[in-house]
């Protein structure tokens, strides 16, 4: 384990950002999350300095857990970088583009394997992102070549405000009980915040 970040630290960070965002001082989107702190802390017990973390628009917790200092991360968010946090020195790469990065994470895993280097790639995404074609392709490739990558699917039941299960047409994610589940860590949670922002209009 590489971090001493606690559930309280994560919750304090999100609350601090929520309060700053409410003042209109952050002129960019922020996506706050709560309700998955325990699961993420558990997953990060296996993640160390050699590992790469890929995430999307909702990656504050991931950056904190990967070792990005609290104040450095806070400044990046205040500067408007919340949806695409990148800290190469901590091996953290995020993007606001849904469906991106699955190939990048798989490519990093391919390189690590070929070069006999330690470390793994971890890609964290939502339940609807796990439905994208690029997710399917990446997972199949990673399983077929047994690459050092884990796809972590954090299922909050919605894609923005769309009910995921209505889109899926079933209750379970496509990979359940398949050989592809081998490369996937899956858990459910309920987000205590709206998908984006604070759910109300903020005036600058
Ligand atoms: C290419 C692209 N299309 C649309 C969006 C807008 N968008 C942002 S998050 C999101 C929903 C993603 O749902 P899910 O993967 O379940 O993520 P979560 O609910 O955990 O944020 C969408 C459609 C985007 N970021 N990128």
């Amino acid at each position: 384990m590489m971090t001493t970040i606690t559930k309280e630290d994560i919750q304090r960070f999100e609350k601090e950002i929520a309060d700053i965002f409410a003042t209109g001082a952050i002129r960019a989107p922020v996506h706050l999350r709560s309700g998955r702190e325990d699961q993420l802390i558990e997953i990060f017990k296996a993640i160390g300095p050699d590992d790469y973390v890929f995430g999307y628009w909702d990656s504050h917790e991931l950056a904190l857990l990967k070792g990005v200092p609290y104040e450095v991360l806070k400044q990046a968010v205040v500067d408007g970088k919340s949806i695409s946090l990148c800290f190469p020195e901590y091996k953290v790469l995020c993007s606001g583009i849904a469906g991106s990065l699955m190939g990048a994470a798989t490519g990093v895993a391919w390189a690590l394997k070929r070069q006999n280097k330690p470390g793994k790639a971890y890609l964290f995404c939502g339940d609807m992102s796990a439905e994208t074609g690029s997710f399917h392709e990446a997972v199949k490739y990673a399983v077929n070549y047994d690459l050092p990558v884990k796809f972590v699917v954090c299922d909050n039941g919605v894609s923005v405000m769309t009910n995921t299960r209505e889109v899926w047409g079933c209750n379970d994610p496509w990979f359940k009980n398949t050989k592809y589940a081998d490369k996937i860590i899956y858990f459910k949670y309920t987000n205590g915040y709206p998908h984006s922002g604070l759910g109300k209009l903020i005036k600058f």
Side-chain angles (χ1 to χ4, degrees):
M1 182 181 177
M2 61 178 291
T3 174
T4 54
I5 291 289
T6 63
K7 182 173 184 170
E8 291 68 34
D9 294 329
I10 293 173
Q11 290 175 341
R12 181 164 63 93
F13 187 88
E14 293 296 66
K15 174 77 172 66
E16 252 195 270
I17 299 300
D19 291 345
I20 300 171
F21 188 74
T23 69
I26 303 176
R27 299 184 173 211
V30 297
H31 296 65
L32 303 165
R33 295 290 179 267
S34 71
R36 59 178 178 177
E37 301 88 346
D38 292 333
Q39 294 95 323
L40 292 178
I41 287 169
E42 193 56 34
I43 292 165
F44 268 83
K45 284 182 181 168
I47 301 179
D50 289 330
D51 299 317
Y52 291 76
V53 165
F54 296 85
Y56 292 91
W57 41 86
D58 56 334
S59 293
H60 300 170
E61 307 133 288
L62 310 182
L64 280 177
L65 287 165
K66 189 66 173 61
V68 178
Y70 193 100
E71 290 302 326
V72 172
L73 182 62
K74 187 172 148 192
Q75 191 59 51
V77 173
V78 169
D79 289 344
K81 297 180 182 152
S82 171
I83 62 169
S84 55
L85 294 167
C86 289
F87 299 97
E89 61 278 38
Y90 295 97
K91 298 190 173 73
V92 171
L93 176 67
C94 306
S95 159
I97 311 293
S100 66
L101 296 183
M102 286 93 179
T106 304
V108 164
W110 176 246
L112 289 172
K113 183 166 179 168
R114 272 192 87 144
Q115 294 169 17
N116 254 324
K117 285 191 175 161
K120 258 194 190 133
Y122 287 82
L123 179 127
F124 292 78
C125 72
D127 38 287
M128 198 63 91
S129 294
E131 189 70 5
T132 57
S134 47
F135 184 91
H136 281 75
E137 287 174 0
V139 171
K140 285 194 174 178
Y141 195 87
V143 168
N144 289 344
Y145 287 94
D146 193 22
L147 300 181
V149 56
K150 285 276 184 200
F151 300 86
V152 185
V153 179
C154 313
D155 180 356
N156 59 14
V158 282
S159 167
V160 186
M161 295 165 82
T162 299
N163 182 311
T164 305
R165 265 117 195 120
E166 280 178 24
V167 179
W168 284 352
C170 58
N171 261 328
D172 294 320
W174 66 267
F175 46 79
K176 189 177 173 186
N177 296 331
T178 70
K179 67 175 182 175
Y180 304 106
D182 206 34
K183 292 282 183 210
I184 297 171
I185 299 171
Y186 170 82
F187 68 86
K188 286 185 184 175
Y189 77 105
T190 301
N191 184 15
Y193 288 102
H195 169 76
S196 171
L198 296 172
K200 61 179 185 195
L201 186 66
I202 306 293
K203 288 190 181 158
F204 299 136

